[in-house]
mmCIF file of all heavy atoms in Angstrom:
data_model
loop_
_atom_site.group_PDB
_atom_site.id
_atom_site.type_symbol
_atom_site.label_atom_id
_atom_site.label_comp_id
_atom_site.label_asym_id
_atom_site.label_seq_id
_atom_site.Cartn_x
_atom_site.Cartn_y
_atom_site.Cartn_z
ATOM 1 N N MET A 258 0.850 -1.199 0.000
ATOM 2 C CA MET A 258 0.006 0.009 0.001
ATOM 3 C C MET A 258 0.882 1.223 0.010
ATOM 4 O O MET A 258 1.852 1.314 0.764
ATOM 5 C CB MET A 258 -0.892 -0.007 1.264
ATOM 6 C CG MET A 258 -1.824 1.178 1.310
ATOM 7 S SD MET A 258 -2.925 1.021 2.741
ATOM 8 C CE MET A 258 -3.837 2.510 2.461
ATOM 9 N N VAL A 302 -37.974 33.276 60.093
ATOM 10 C CA VAL A 302 -38.764 33.351 58.884
ATOM 11 C C VAL A 302 -39.805 34.449 58.973
ATOM 12 O O VAL A 302 -40.157 35.091 57.962
ATOM 13 C CB VAL A 302 -39.445 31.941 58.648
ATOM 14 C CG1 VAL A 302 -40.383 31.607 59.797
ATOM 15 C CG2 VAL A 302 -40.191 31.940 57.340
ATOM 16 N N PRO A 376 -83.907 65.450 56.964
ATOM 17 C CA PRO A 376 -82.869 66.351 56.501
ATOM 18 C C PRO A 376 -81.599 66.339 57.378
ATOM 19 O O PRO A 376 -80.495 66.514 56.873
ATOM 20 C CB PRO A 376 -83.547 67.727 56.535
ATOM 21 C CG PRO A 376 -84.626 67.606 57.544
ATOM 22 C CD PRO A 376 -85.084 66.186 57.478
ATOM 23 N N TYR A 435 -79.830 38.898 72.582
ATOM 24 C CA TYR A 435 -79.289 39.757 73.642
ATOM 25 C C TYR A 435 -80.287 39.982 74.802
ATOM 26 O O TYR A 435 -79.925 40.574 75.776
ATOM 27 C CB TYR A 435 -78.882 41.114 73.072
ATOM 28 C CG TYR A 435 -77.649 41.078 72.208
ATOM 29 C CD1 TYR A 435 -77.693 40.705 70.875
ATOM 30 C CD2 TYR A 435 -76.373 41.372 72.763
ATOM 31 C CE1 TYR A 435 -76.562 40.652 70.076
ATOM 32 C CE2 TYR A 435 -75.234 41.323 72.004
ATOM 33 C CZ TYR A 435 -75.313 40.972 70.674
ATOM 34 O OH TYR A 435 -74.175 40.911 69.889
ATOM 35 N N SER A 467 -77.225 48.476 93.677
ATOM 36 C CA SER A 467 -78.090 49.642 93.840
ATOM 37 C C SER A 467 -77.968 50.602 92.672
ATOM 38 O O SER A 467 -78.925 51.164 92.178
ATOM 39 C CB SER A 467 -77.792 50.321 95.170
ATOM 40 O OG SER A 467 -78.571 51.510 95.294
ATOM 41 N N ASP A 556 -93.409 60.509 75.673
ATOM 42 C CA ASP A 556 -94.098 61.660 76.275
ATOM 43 C C ASP A 556 -94.127 62.828 75.302
ATOM 44 O O ASP A 556 -93.206 63.008 74.522
ATOM 45 C CB ASP A 556 -93.418 62.071 77.577
ATOM 46 C CG ASP A 556 -93.524 60.979 78.618
ATOM 47 O OD1 ASP A 556 -94.491 60.191 78.580
ATOM 48 O OD2 ASP A 556 -92.573 60.886 79.469
ATOM 49 N N VAL A 558 -93.187 65.855 74.922
ATOM 50 C CA VAL A 558 -92.300 66.914 75.391
ATOM 51 C C VAL A 558 -91.337 67.193 74.264
ATOM 52 O O VAL A 558 -90.969 66.362 73.460
ATOM 53 C CB VAL A 558 -91.543 66.529 76.679
ATOM 54 C CG1 VAL A 558 -92.536 66.369 77.859
ATOM 55 C CG2 VAL A 558 -90.762 65.233 76.460
ATOM 56 N N LEU A 586 -55.659 49.892 84.592
ATOM 57 C CA LEU A 586 -54.615 48.926 84.370
ATOM 58 C C LEU A 586 -54.972 47.562 85.036
ATOM 59 O O LEU A 586 -54.747 46.507 84.479
ATOM 60 C CB LEU A 586 -53.262 49.412 84.899
ATOM 61 C CG LEU A 586 -52.063 48.468 84.716
ATOM 62 C CD1 LEU A 586 -51.830 48.203 83.263
ATOM 63 C CD2 LEU A 586 -50.806 49.088 85.372
ATOM 64 N N ILE A 588 -57.983 46.430 85.634
ATOM 65 C CA ILE A 588 -59.073 45.811 84.878
ATOM 66 C C ILE A 588 -58.516 45.079 83.657
ATOM 67 O O ILE A 588 -58.897 43.974 83.345
ATOM 68 C CB ILE A 588 -60.115 46.830 84.474
ATOM 69 C CG1 ILE A 588 -60.854 47.364 85.731
ATOM 70 C CG2 ILE A 588 -61.129 46.258 83.479
ATOM 71 C CD1 ILE A 588 -61.632 46.319 86.445
#
Side-chain angles (χ1 to χ4, degrees):
M258 182 176 180
V302 62
Y435 287 85
S467 176
D556 296 331
V558 293
L586 180 60
I588 292 297

